[in-house]
Amino acid sequence: MAYQTILYDVAGAVATITLNRPDKLNAFTEEMHRELAAAIDTAALPESKIRALLITGAGRGFCAGQDLSQRKGDALPDLGHTLNTTYNPLVRRLRKLPLPIVCAVNGVAAGAGASLAFACDITLAARSASFLQAFSKIGLVPDSGSTWFLPRLAGSARARALAMLAEKIGAEQAVAWGLIWQVVDDDTLLAEAAALAQRLAAMPTRALAYIKRALDTAETSTLDRQLDLEAELQAMAGRTDDYREGVAAFFEKRTPTFKGR
Ligand code: T3D
């Protein structure tokens, strides 16, 4: 499929989605939402043989959130509807994708662009990148999961100040506050993110998907329910070829070759 607002590239078992509206700092449009959904669904197809996804942005920005030029004038859409039909399905798609997702934040991540970065599994940022809960500046509420992600990642006090004051924070601060995994030099971001995605793609894919599910569920679970879920997921992991290979490789003192099965 030919995309207009994103790029979709495959290298080995890694699919890379690049948000590609650099003149608008990769702000979201409805078309971009449609294309993102199609690209993520393509990566999820078993015949695609994709075992890790990488998301980044073209140009100097990562993503400036909703394209506000589509929100000017009097004929404003129902924003609850736009969330329900575009942003919320995107966040759900990412969190439910049974593949690890690396996010390489190459520049400013504002509004729902920051939410996108938080929704991925492992987020790296260039040293010059920044994060901005831009919503309150234009009279909106943090969305696309930000009110859920922020307090869990950074704690309630920081979440409140970030959401209300809409102050931009740098990548180093984002790491220090637990919002993202790592900061790397600008000129190595893409290479490091791609290497990380390749590394994840060579890991036991099913176990990674189960880890993702267990950690997401833990956010709203009790210890008792979580213990049950761990037993259920471990039973499934224990039936994979990759588990057998991992144990065999351990005793044969060699590097395991995981197939994602
Ligand atoms: O609407 C719904 O469906 C509800 C869902 C909402 C989700 C949301 O994300 S709401 C939040 C929307 N986003 C924002 O409010 C952020 C707006 N942008 C900014 O605050 C700043 O642009 C940045 C802090 C992100 C970057 O600042 P800076 O100084 O580095 O760049 P700039 O000069 O402001 O922007 C560069 C260009 O990108 C500029 O275009 P021009 O003048 O060169 O033609 C600017 O207008 C454009 N741009 C940046 N952000 C957006 C945008 N164009 C449309 N929409 C944007 N969000």
Side-chain angles (χ1 to χ4, degrees), residues 221-241:
S221 192
T222 61
L223 176 59
D224 249 1
R225 286 209 304 270
Q226 199 64 16
L227 290 171
D228 289 341
L229 178 65
E230 286 175 4
E232 189 187 313
L233 294 174
Q234 203 68 300
M236 295 197 288
R239 289 194 289 269
T240 61
D241 292 349

Side-chain angles (χ1 to χ4, degrees), residues 41-238:
D41 289 352
T42 299
L45 291 172
E47 57 266 36
S48 298
K49 296 192 168 23
I50 297 302
R51 292 172 61 192
L53 180 64
L54 169 59
I55 299 180
T56 191
R60 75 175 177 88
F62 171 67
C63 176
Q66 169 62 37
D67 187 323
L68 295 176
S69 59
Q70 302 192 328
R71 298 289 182 263
K72 283 193 291 195
D74 292 331
L76 290 175
D78 171 350
L79 301 189
H81 179 73
T82 66
L83 289 185
N84 281 325
T85 53
T86 55
Y87 290 96
N88 293 354
L90 170 62
V91 174
R92 290 192 174 110
R93 223 178 215 99
L94 294 172
R95 297 298 275 209
K96 294 206 164 83
L97 187 72
L99 299 174
I101 308 173
V102 174
C103 182
V105 180
N106 52 297
V108 64
S115 313
L116 169 62
F118 301 149
C120 295
D121 295 308
I122 302 185
T123 297
L124 310 181
R127 212 166 291 285
S128 67
S130 54
F131 295 81
L132 170 64
Q133 291 298 304
F135 307 91
S136 67
K137 284 193 172 189
I138 55 168
L140 290 186
V141 178
D143 63 26
S144 311
S146 262
T147 60
W148 192 88
F149 294 122
L150 282 174
R152 283 172 174 77
L153 296 172
S156 181
R158 287 166 180 158
R160 279 161 203 270
L162 285 171
M164 289 185 180
L165 301 176
E167 285 181 9
K168 199 193 273 183
I169 61 164
E172 307 266 11
Q173 186 78 79
V175 171
W177 284 0
L179 288 165
I180 62 168
W181 169 239
Q182 224 170 40
V183 171
V184 300
D185 289 336
D186 287 30
D187 54 356
T188 62
L189 173 72
L190 214 50
E192 295 208 30
L196 178 60
Q198 292 290 352
R199 179 176 150 198
L200 287 160
M203 291 181 69
T205 312
R206 291 212 190 161
L208 298 184
Y210 300 153
I211 290 171
K212 195 166 162 162
R213 204 158 113 198
L215 291 175
D216 270 358
T217 308
E219 300 289 354
T220 52
S221 192
T222 61
L223 176 59
D224 249 1
R225 286 209 304 270
Q226 199 64 16
L227 290 171
D228 289 341
L229 178 65
E230 286 175 4
E232 189 187 313
L233 294 174
Q234 203 68 300
M236 295 197 288

